[in-house]
Amino acid sequence: MCARWIAAASLPALALLLQACAGDPKLIRSDGELAACDGRHCVSSQADNPEYHVPPMRYAGSSRSARERLVRFIQAQDDSEVVTNSDCYVHAVFQGGVIRGPDDLELWFCSRPGYIEVRSASRSGLQLSDDNRERVQSLRDALSIDADRSLNQ
């Protein structure tokens, strides 16, 4: 009896765990378009829906310098891993814990000079707050702070 109750109670948790551990989501296309926000907790600078839209990030100087600053900032976070770091594209994964699962962050530097297209999305759709919007804002702040420092030196 107790074993059946435990098994029945753990099925929803197992389903969430399997969803969170599923393979990598479909990310950027070869033409630089980020994947659409599909109703999960997601924000993107390329989203048409205002609910999911965030402005692209702006930078001064070279895209390489901006990319390096953002990659350093991401790597300094305890729960992050940079999966891809190329001239045009950065993909990082933030671990959200066992229940929430991973979040994907994408940065695209080659759409137009001075701009970074950004997408941050939770794979499982389970969040207690607007973590993705906050993550994009912290990246925007880090980029701005570094730019301000270099101007003042």
Side-chain angles (χ1 to χ4, degrees), residues 6-21 98-100 126:
I6 291 172
S10 43
L11 282 178
L14 179 60
L16 289 173
L17 183 59
L18 289 174
Q19 180 184 4
C21 295
V98 173
I99 298 297
R100 261 199 37 223
L126 298 173

Side-chain angles (χ1 to χ4, degrees), residues 16-107:
L16 289 173
L17 183 59
L18 289 174
Q19 180 184 4
C21 295
D24 287 342
K26 292 179 182 174
L27 300 173
I28 197 158
R29 297 187 329 216
S30 61
D31 62 358
E33 288 294 315
L34 300 172
C37 290
D38 59 4
R40 295 178 297 174
H41 292 276
C42 175
V43 294
S44 172
S45 58
Q46 295 178 338
D48 293 329
N49 185 330
E51 183 179 350
Y52 304 127
H53 187 267
V54 293
M57 292 190 288
R58 298 208 53 187
Y59 64 89
S62 73
S63 63
R64 180 181 179 175
S65 175
R67 181 175 47 83
E68 289 173 353
R69 288 192 310 254
L70 290 174
V71 166
R72 278 194 308 270
F73 178 79
I74 292 165
Q75 290 172 330
Q77 310 305 306
D78 290 336
D79 62 346
S80 69
E81 174 188 1
V82 175
V83 178
T84 305
N85 181 5
S86 68
D87 289 343
C88 287
Y89 180 67
V90 172
H91 172 218
V93 176
F94 290 79
Q95 295 305 321
V98 173
I99 298 297
R100 261 199 37 223
D103 296 343
D104 292 289
L105 171 72
E106 296 178 279
L107 305 171

Side-chain angles (χ1 to χ4, degrees), residues 104-117:
D104 292 289
L105 171 72
E106 296 178 279
L107 305 171
W108 180 253
F109 292 82
C110 293
S111 61
R112 52 191 166 146
Y115 289 86
I116 305 166
E117 300 295 341

